[in-house]
Amino acid sequence: MTDRASLRLGGLFDPAGFDDVDGTGDPARYAELLDVAAATDNVRELKNRVTMHLAARPGERILDVGCGTGDDALRWADLVGPDGVVIGVDRSNELLQVARDRLGGTNLPAKFLHGDATDLPFPDAFFNAVSASRVLIHTPDPAQALAEFARVTRTDGRVVVFDVDADALLFDAPDHGLTQTLVGLLGDSFRSGRVGRRLPALFAAAGLSVRSVEPCGVLLPHELWRTLLTAPLSHAAEKADIPADDIARWWHSLEAAARRGEFFAVWYGLIVSGTKPADPSQSAGAALRAGPATQPRKENT
Ligand SMILES: C[S@@+](CC[C@H](N)C(=O)[O-])C[C@H]1O[C@@H](n2cnc3c(N)ncnc32)[C@H](O)[C@@H]1O
């Protein structure tokens, strides 16, 4: 086994595949990754923060866009109680099936439906609150998704979005230049890798009033990064003409740091929370929208 091949331990996994989990041929691996991440203290704490901003109340109708295996939706179903409902929507039928299996046998008021963030299968003003965590990075048109979130939210209803920004991924690694190149390649591999920094402007463009912007960092253990980086690192040589040995050396330095208990990586993002004003022209974002610098745009990724 060459150094480079040893990067593939456990098989290739491409985090950008979350845009079409069923098309990857290995949806169970994506479900497993979500479970492993959700079991870490840091991700649980981030989910607590999103739940706090969402502030689900008994009797409410809540939408979780890109619900995956239903982890958040099932939790919020407990909060809305028997007079409310949480609907989880996802592009992946396979992940939806996992969510339905987990719902089975409980009395929780939740439903899981197939749908796309940019074309939600609900009437206008249907939900008290809408949330999407770690979904827009996988969505080619986040502005259209935000417009849909605003459309299906009632006046005074809440919208909460959490996403990371690929350029805000920091590794404590020795070769800064190579680290930046690799992080850049990872960012380019996502549909909207740099959506994190755009969230406040996207809320404004959708006519939502931004209530809070909470910067947050995702801390994943070394073992998870080993999985998340297999495909990006394996493709880096051909995409950026980086010698495979350099890439292997870079990764092995992180492995060595992990053995010393010194591995550190943090991926920053934002939890943005807003409301739908009665008159969107009066939203806090209306002034922002008037300026050309914040017009919604598609990424060139
Ligand atoms: C990283 S997972 C996050 C799952 C869940 N929100 C969580 O935080 O645990 C991204 C999810 O978004 C879904 N997804 C990706 N693009 C989507 C789209 N355009 N519309 C709906 N769901 C989408 C994926 O199938 C996957 O379940």
Side-chain angles (χ1 to χ4, degrees):
M1 185 186 282
T2 67
D3 269 357
R4 193 170 165 223
S6 70
L7 294 174
R8 302 179 186 213
L9 275 176
L12 282 182
F13 178 89
D14 187 354
F18 271 114
D19 70 335
D20 180 17
V21 169
D22 296 356
T24 64
D26 197 2
R29 193 123 190 256
Y30 286 79
E32 184 191 6
L33 188 103
L34 289 177
D35 282 349
V36 173
T40 64
D41 289 345
N42 173 252
V43 172
R44 295 263 24 115
E45 178 52 28
L46 288 168
K47 284 171 174 274
N48 287 344
R49 300 297 305 161
V50 170
T51 300
M52 192 275 294
H53 286 291
L54 195 67
R57 293 185 282 266
E60 286 193 325
R61 197 183 282 159
I62 308 274
L63 175 65
D64 183 16
V65 183
C67 61
T69 56
D71 189 45
D72 294 320
L74 292 174
R75 186 166 170 199
W76 301 335
D78 203 30
L79 299 176
V80 299
D83 297 329
V85 68
V86 178
I87 301 181
V89 159
D90 204 282
R91 281 198 72 206
S92 164
N93 283 311
E94 300 282 347
L95 294 182
L96 285 168
Q97 193 50 51
V98 175
R100 290 186 192 115
D101 290 346
R102 291 177 181 179
L103 172 65
T106 74
N107 289 323
L108 291 169
K111 289 180 189 165
F112 294 102
L113 305 176
H114 187 264
D116 194 288
T118 57
D119 186 17
L120 293 169
F122 304 104
D124 295 356
F126 195 63
F127 293 98
N128 300 95
V130 174
S131 187
S133 282
R134 304 181 292 168
V135 177
L136 293 185
I137 192 172
H138 304 294
T139 309
D141 192 348
Q144 174 59 21
L146 255 297
E148 277 292 87
F149 300 174
R151 181 184 66 77
V152 301
T153 302
R154 289 181 191 174
T155 298
D156 292 331
R158 292 98 62 204
V159 176
V160 180
V161 174
F162 163 45
D163 238 307
V164 289
D165 191 296
D167 286 344
L169 170 55
L170 313 181
F171 286 100
D172 182 12
D175 185 336
H176 175 67
L178 180 57
T179 304
Q180 293 305 100
T181 302
L182 294 172
V183 166
L185 286 170
L186 178 67
D188 292 345
S189 73
F190 293 108
R191 295 290 194 143
S192 296
R194 280 103 190 169
V195 73
R197 73 194 71 179
R198 296 172 54 205
L199 290 178
L202 288 170
F203 268 61
L208 296 165
S209 292
V210 173
R211 294 292 177 218
S212 68
V213 177
E214 182 178 332
C216 54
V218 183
L219 297 171
L220 298 176
H222 160 257
E223 294 74 21
L224 260 181
W225 277 113
R226 179 188 286 143
T227 299
L228 287 168
L229 287 174
T230 50
L233 291 189
S234 293
H235 298 150
E238 64 228 46
K239 286 194 176 157
D241 209 15
I242 303 170
D245 284 351
D246 288 1
I247 298 168
R249 209 173 298 120
W250 183 85
W251 174 248
H252 289 311
S253 74
L254 296 190
E255 294 268 12
R259 282 193 295 276
R260 296 192 304 271
E262 293 172 3
F263 175 86
F264 185 78
V266 57
W267 199 349
Y268 287 106
L270 299 178
I271 301 171
V272 179
S273 171
T275 54
K276 179 172 173 175
D279 176 1
S281 68
Q282 300 302 310
S283 75
L288 271 177
R289 273 201 310 288
T294 57
Q295 292 300 306
R297 64 188 191 284
K298 288 196 181 184
E299 283 194 20
N300 300 321
T301 50

